Amino acid sequence: MGVTLLAGDLSPEDRATVEAMAGALGTVHWIDEALFDAATAIASSSPAWTFQYIAALARAGTAAGIAAELATQIALEAVAGSAAYALGDGRAMDDLAREVASPGGMTQAGLDVLALDGALTTLLQQTVQAAIARAATLAREADA
């Protein structure tokens, strides 16, 4: 279930060969080379960030009285199920979130907190930008 990012000008034959080899690892996306660091942050760094989200969600469950092991299992299953559903559905994430949240319900109350002052979006934009900045630093150091 990996994500492989590819860039570059290749002949159609070479492109098909590279894509077939990389496809054995999961999905393949061809991107503009200028966007490689940004796409790598999302494809390669986000698993660690997702694990931290799951851990934080589990800690929130534990703080609400759920046993730590059960809270972690519930969080893992919920994230896996959500991702599987979203992958199979094809609609925008905001649309799926609205579908799951009953107006005025408990899910919407949580969504309201995540949306407060754009907190979640801002945090993730800062996270991705930090990864991109670090990639640029590592590239400069490698060239030195």
Side-chain angles (χ1 to χ4, degrees):
M1 299 222 21
V3 177
T4 300
L5 304 171
L6 300 172
D9 293 324
L10 300 175
S11 69
E13 297 82 19
D14 288 345
R15 184 178 170 123
T17 299
V18 169
E19 202 167 312
M21 290 174 25
L25 302 173
T27 59
V28 174
H29 299 280
W30 289 88
I31 61 168
D32 184 317
E33 195 164 352
L35 299 174
F36 211 81
D37 288 344
T40 298
I42 294 170
S44 298
S45 298
S46 69
W49 305 334
T50 302
F51 300 148
Q52 286 296 294
Y53 167 80
I54 292 166
L57 189 57
R59 284 190 295 273
T62 300
I66 302 170
E69 187 176 305
L70 179 58
T72 299
Q73 190 63 35
I74 292 169
L76 279 167
E77 292 166 353
V79 169
S82 298
Y85 181 74
L87 280 168
D89 188 275
R91 287 182 288 154
M93 298 302 104
D94 288 338
D95 292 341
L96 294 177
R98 277 190 295 277
E99 178 182 282
V100 173
S102 300
M106 62 189 285
T107 303
Q108 186 60 53
L111 285 173
D112 292 345
V113 172
L114 293 175
L116 189 64
D117 297 326
L120 182 60
T121 298
T122 299
L123 177 63
L124 290 175
Q125 286 173 344
Q126 291 170 346
T127 302
V128 170
Q129 287 303 315
I132 292 168
R134 183 62 182 148
T137 298
L138 291 170
R140 283 192 304 275
E141 290 173 356
D143 289 340

